[in-house]
């Protein structure tokens, strides 16, 4: 039985209606996701079970991005499991709750168990999981100084700064342009505090994704002939409490959470 190497071989067996019930908007995208190990064939309800079985045997599972994230989380969990929680809690600005670390992230508690597992009412994904575990391991307990600096100036941020601006700041600017009231409502719901700074932004808000890692979000509304602007600044102390890569993931996780909430709560259920 030959191995399937081309998504077209999977696509040929699909209904080709692009109905989206598999969680992917089009049959071709679904075929590609199956081949990359991101989706299972059974997610398409229109695929004949016998055909599904035959195709599945010909798909060789390769390591996916999800596998890499899982491996990173397991490595971090093992390191966190070696920590003395009663010693690290004050440094992290966390509380001890029945032997677990309770870390407040945007006003919600995330519990880290002694084995490094995470428990929360909120949806957990690697964008939140990985930075929180890094925070447990790296935080030196440095208090924020109120000196705001661009992400790119933090140690180790050079290789991530383009990503931070394209995948975090720019999408948040677009969301704020399209759903200004909803975005600010969400920010306030997550504990954002307005601040007045000399930079002259129309809106400057401080949020606390981690107890000792504040983000300052500055947003300039569009004006006639000028596009809007948005930047996310970090306290200079951030590098003492977490690394640049984890800050990037954290910001990305927040934007992703906003996208999901806006999809659910915007009047037309659309992002743009
Ligand atoms: S559920 Fe099946 S038919 Fe519908 S888009 Fe997905 S793959 Fe195509």
């Amino acid at each position: 039985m030959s191995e399937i190497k081309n998504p077209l071989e999977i696509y040929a067996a699909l209904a080709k209606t692009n109905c989206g019930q598999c969680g992917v908007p089009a049959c071709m995208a679904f075929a590609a996701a199956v081949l990359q190990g991101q989706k299972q064939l059974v997610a398409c309800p229109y695929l004949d079970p016998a055909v599904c079985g035959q195709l599945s045997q010909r798909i060789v599972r390769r390591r996916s991005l999800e596998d890499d994230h899982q491996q990173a989380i397991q490595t971090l969990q093992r390191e966190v499991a070696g920590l003395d929680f009663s010693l690290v809690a004050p440094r992290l600005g966390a509380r001890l709750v029945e032997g677990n670390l309770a870390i407040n992230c945007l006003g919600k508690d995330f519990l880290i168990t002694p084995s490094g597992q995470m428990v929360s009412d909120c949806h957990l994904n690697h964008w939140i999981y990985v930075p929180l575990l890094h925070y447990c391991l790296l935080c030196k307990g440095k208090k924020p100084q109120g000196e705001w600096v661009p992400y790119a100036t933090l140690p180790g941020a050079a290789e991530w700064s383009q990503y931070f601006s394209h995948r975090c700041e720019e999408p948040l600017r677009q969301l704020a342009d399209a759903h200004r009231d909803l975005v600010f409502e969400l920010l306030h719901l997550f504990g954002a505090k307005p601040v007045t700074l000399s930079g002259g932004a129309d809106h400057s808000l401080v949020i606390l994704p981690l107890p000792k890692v504040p983000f300052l979000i500055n947003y300039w509304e569009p004006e006639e002939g000028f596009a809007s602007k948005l930047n996310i600044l970090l306290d200079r102390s951030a590098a003492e409490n977490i690394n640049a890569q984890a800050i990037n993931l954290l910001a990305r996780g927040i934007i992703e959470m906003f996208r999901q909430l806006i999809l659910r709560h915007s009047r037309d259920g659309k992002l743009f």
Side-chain angles (χ1 to χ4, degrees):
M1 211 175 285
S2 61
E3 179 189 339
I4 293 180
K5 293 190 172 150
N6 189 324
L8 285 173
E9 292 181 71
I10 299 171
Y11 178 71
L14 299 175
K16 304 178 192 65
T17 56
N18 300 330
C19 68
Q21 289 185 49
C22 53
V24 178
C27 297
M28 181 54 92
F30 176 71
V34 168
L35 202 56
Q36 285 160 14
Q38 294 162 354
K39 282 275 171 192
Q40 299 287 321
L41 277 171
V42 290
C44 173
Y46 301 106
L47 191 58
D48 181 87
V51 176
C52 181
Q54 286 162 9
L55 288 174
S56 296
Q57 287 176 25
R58 295 175 54 208
I59 296 170
V60 178
R61 174 126 164 75
R62 296 198 165 77
R63 231 185 133 61
S64 68
L65 202 57
E66 190 55 33
D67 294 330
D68 290 343
H69 292 146
Q70 274 311 319
Q71 194 180 27
I73 287 171
Q74 283 165 10
T75 305
L76 290 167
Q77 282 174 331
R78 280 194 292 275
E79 291 180 45
V80 167
L83 295 174
D84 181 336
F85 281 7
S86 56
L87 283 181
V88 298
R91 207 163 61 215
L92 302 179
R95 303 182 332 272
L96 270 184
V97 177
E98 296 173 358
N100 304 305
L101 274 177
I103 302 178
N104 198 279
C105 178
L106 295 176
K108 311 274 173 213
D109 272 348
F110 287 73
L111 292 185
I112 311 279
T113 71
S115 59
Q117 305 291 323
M118 194 176 297
V119 182
S120 171
D121 292 342
C122 302
H123 174 66
L124 293 176
N125 60 38
H126 76 278
W127 285 316
I128 297 293
Y129 215 143
V130 170
L132 265 138
L133 294 177
H134 273 296
Y135 182 66
C136 293
L137 294 166
L138 300 175
C139 182
K140 294 193 179 116
K142 183 97 174 167
K143 275 195 183 156
Q145 310 291 300
E147 190 184 342
W148 299 105
V149 296
Y151 172 82
T153 63
L154 296 177
E159 65 174 301
W160 299 100
S161 63
Q162 289 280 338
Y163 186 96
F164 188 80
S165 110
H166 290 138
R167 303 299 285 275
C168 304
E169 291 172 315
E170 177 58 15
L172 186 55
R173 182 190 72 80
Q174 290 173 358
L175 288 177
D177 283 358
H179 305 275
R180 192 167 313 146
D181 291 347
L182 191 48
V183 165
F184 284 101
E185 220 172 279
L186 287 171
L187 282 165
H188 288 296
L189 203 68
F190 288 119
K193 299 267 182 289
V195 287
T196 309
L197 295 165
S198 54
D202 296 315
H203 306 268
S204 293
L205 296 158
V206 175
I207 56 169
L208 268 182
L210 291 168
K212 294 192 177 172
V213 184
F215 286 9
L216 170 64
I217 300 171
N218 289 312
Y219 176 66
W220 290 260
E221 293 180 10
E223 279 180 45
E224 215 175 332
F226 293 97
S228 63
K229 278 197 307 174
L230 184 144
N231 64 28
I232 303 174
L233 302 182
L234 283 304
D235 191 272
R236 188 173 287 289
S237 64
E240 305 273 341
N241 294 331
I242 195 168
N243 62 29
Q245 188 183 356
I247 290 173
N248 208 342
L249 278 178
L250 194 55
R252 185 75 207 286
I254 293 169
I255 309 305
E256 200 48 43
M257 180 175 72
F258 272 42
R259 289 170 72 95
Q260 298 301 327
L261 289 169
I262 288 168
L263 268 176
R264 227 177 291 154
H265 298 291
S266 67
R267 242 177 262 142
D268 53 4
K270 289 182 184 162
L271 281 178
F272 302 109

